[in-house]
Amino acid sequence: MYNLLGIYQRTILVARHGGKLSIGKNVGISGSTIYAMKEICIGDNTFIGANCKIVDSDFHALDVGMNFSIDPRYIKMRPVSIGKNCFIGMNSIILKGTVIGDNSIVGAGSVVSGNFPGNVVIAGNPARIIKYR
């Protein structure tokens, strides 16, 4: 399989500091980064377009006085869940705490944060529901 959308890197999968990464069956990922410090779950038959980023943390502390500490004790983390039969459009960013229901589509270049039901199309920055399927 190949992708002609200008992949910038090889796919990077990381589970660190006790993080869990669960990827279902028949999942396609094109040159994207998925970085779990808590938990990221991706359902069966989901496809992740070129150059996407999926993260479940802020990577560093944001509180005043913490000087952007990278100590995991001070980093905000929330699980990410992407349902079955989803499509994540190229160059999208899925942020901590996001839930995307089954059969949903994320438009290219979207910045996604929050809970979204199944069978929707979401897009934009910030992403919002633009269509029910």
Side-chain angles (χ1 to χ4, degrees):
M1 197 93 155
Y2 60 91
N3 188 317
L4 299 175
L5 293 175
I7 296 173
Y8 303 140
Q9 66 184 33
R10 292 182 179 191
T11 294
I12 299 170
L13 305 174
V14 177
R16 207 171 207 185
H17 303 294
K20 297 176 185 175
L21 178 55
S22 173
I23 299 174
K25 296 177 183 175
N26 194 39
V27 170
I29 305 170
S30 297
S32 293
T33 300
I34 302 172
Y35 195 112
M37 290 181 72
K38 184 143 184 96
E39 184 174 19
I40 297 175
C41 297
I42 299 169
D44 296 342
N45 303 309
T46 287
F47 293 94
I48 300 169
N51 312 311
C52 292
K53 309 295 182 219
I54 302 172
V55 298
D56 64 358
S57 76
D58 289 332
F59 288 95
H60 49 73
L62 299 175
D63 296 329
V64 174
M66 293 303 298
N67 296 321
F68 304 108
S69 171
I70 58 171
D71 184 330
R73 295 176 298 171
Y74 306 110
I75 298 171
K76 292 181 181 172
M77 300 176 227
R78 288 184 295 164
V80 170
S81 176
I82 300 172
K84 297 177 183 176
N85 305 309
C86 291
F87 183 83
I88 310 299
M90 68 177 178
N91 297 317
S92 291
I93 301 170
I94 311 297
L95 297 171
K96 73 180 186 297
T98 296
V99 176
I100 299 172
D102 294 345
N103 308 307
S104 291
I105 297 170
V106 175
S110 296
V111 177
V112 185
S113 180
N115 293 312
F116 297 90
N119 301 299
V120 295
V121 178
I122 60 177
N125 179 6
R128 61 181 179 79
I129 297 171
I130 61 169
K131 182 178 180 180
Y132 290 86
R133 297 183 72 203

